């Protein structure tokens, strides 16, 4: 009889350990990752907004994969317009930051220094969340800042006529 009790105890111990490991992995997996490739025409700047809550881990990486000298300017700004990261004429960049503010973060690839060469830029954004309630797929939230500016200008033109 004591042999069975020891066996049951070991089985419960293994189930408990398995449950803890699964729970730990679930907590680790509360993150979202997207990647995109964008064409930045010569003399242009392409910007994107991403809503992010404060105290989130933001991992961002970019690489110029085609065009000219494979370089681009990069800018990441907080919702209050503070520079979080800036790079001038870089082929790639890797950033890990803990966000300090809640709101729309601005990501810009600036190719205004180039008059001839368009650049193709691959980028990857990963956000880590503390709870499932905060988990929002960022791709659904992204929009092109240039399009919004264009829409406002069209509305202004229509209103003035």
């Amino acid at each position: 009889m004591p042999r069975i009790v020891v066996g049951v105890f070991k089985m419960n111990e293994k189930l408990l350990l398995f449950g803890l490991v699964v729970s730990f992995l679930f907590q680790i997996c509360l993150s979202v990752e997207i990647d995109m490739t964008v064409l930045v025409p010569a003399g242009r700047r392409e910007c994107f907004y991403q809503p992010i809550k404060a105290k989130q881990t933001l991992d961002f990486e970019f690489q110029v994969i085609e065009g000219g000298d494979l370089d681009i300017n990069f800018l990441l700004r907080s919702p209050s317009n503070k520079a979080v990261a800036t790079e001038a004429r870089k082929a790639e960049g890797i950033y890990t930051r803990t966000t300090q503010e809640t709101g729309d973060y601005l990501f810009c690839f600036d190719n205004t220094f180039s008059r001839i060469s368009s650049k193709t830029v691959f980028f990857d954004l990963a956000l880590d969340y503390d709870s499932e309630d905060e988990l929002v797929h960022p791709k659904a939230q992204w929009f092109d800042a240039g399009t919004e500016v264009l829409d406002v200008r069209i509305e202004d033109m229509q209103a003035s006529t």
Side-chain angles (χ1 to χ4, degrees), residues 18-115:
F18 176 75
L20 289 173
V21 169
V22 168
S23 176
F24 178 72
L25 289 175
F26 181 72
Q27 289 298 321
I28 289 175
C29 294
L30 285 177
S31 65
V32 173
E33 185 173 343
I34 64 164
D35 52 45
M36 294 177 105
T37 302
V38 63
L39 177 67
V40 185
R44 296 280 314 266
R45 181 172 136 161
E46 294 293 330
C47 296
F48 303 91
Y49 288 95
Q50 173 60 43
I52 304 173
K53 292 187 177 190
K55 309 245 186 284
Q56 301 301 307
T57 300
L58 164 71
D59 291 315
F60 188 82
E61 181 176 344
F62 76 89
Q63 181 177 13
V64 181
I65 56 175
E66 189 177 329
D69 293 329
L70 299 178
D71 58 348
I72 199 145
N73 296 336
F74 172 71
L75 174 66
L76 170 59
R77 289 200 176 270
S78 71
S80 63
N81 206 28
K82 293 178 185 170
V84 176
T86 58
E87 295 288 349
R89 299 188 76 156
K90 295 289 183 177
E92 59 187 30
I94 299 173
Y95 311 93
T96 299
R97 304 283 193 273
T98 299
T99 58
Q100 302 301 312
E101 304 173 51
T102 296
D104 294 332
Y105 282 74
L106 176 70
F107 298 79
C108 287
F109 298 105
D110 183 346
N111 195 25
T112 56
F113 62 86
S114 179
R115 297 196 179 261

Side-chain angles (χ1 to χ4, degrees), residues 1-9:
M1 207 62 142
R3 193 172 209 194
I4 295 172
V5 172
V6 171
V8 170
F9 178 73

Side-chain angles (χ1 to χ4, degrees), residues 27 30-32 50-53 56-57 127-132 134-138:
Q27 289 298 321
L30 285 177
S31 65
V32 173
Q50 173 60 43
I52 304 173
K53 292 187 177 190
Q56 301 301 307
T57 300
L127 298 169
D128 293 333
Y129 292 92
D130 294 330
S131 73
E132 195 171 352
E134 297 173 343
L135 194 59
V136 176
H137 196 286

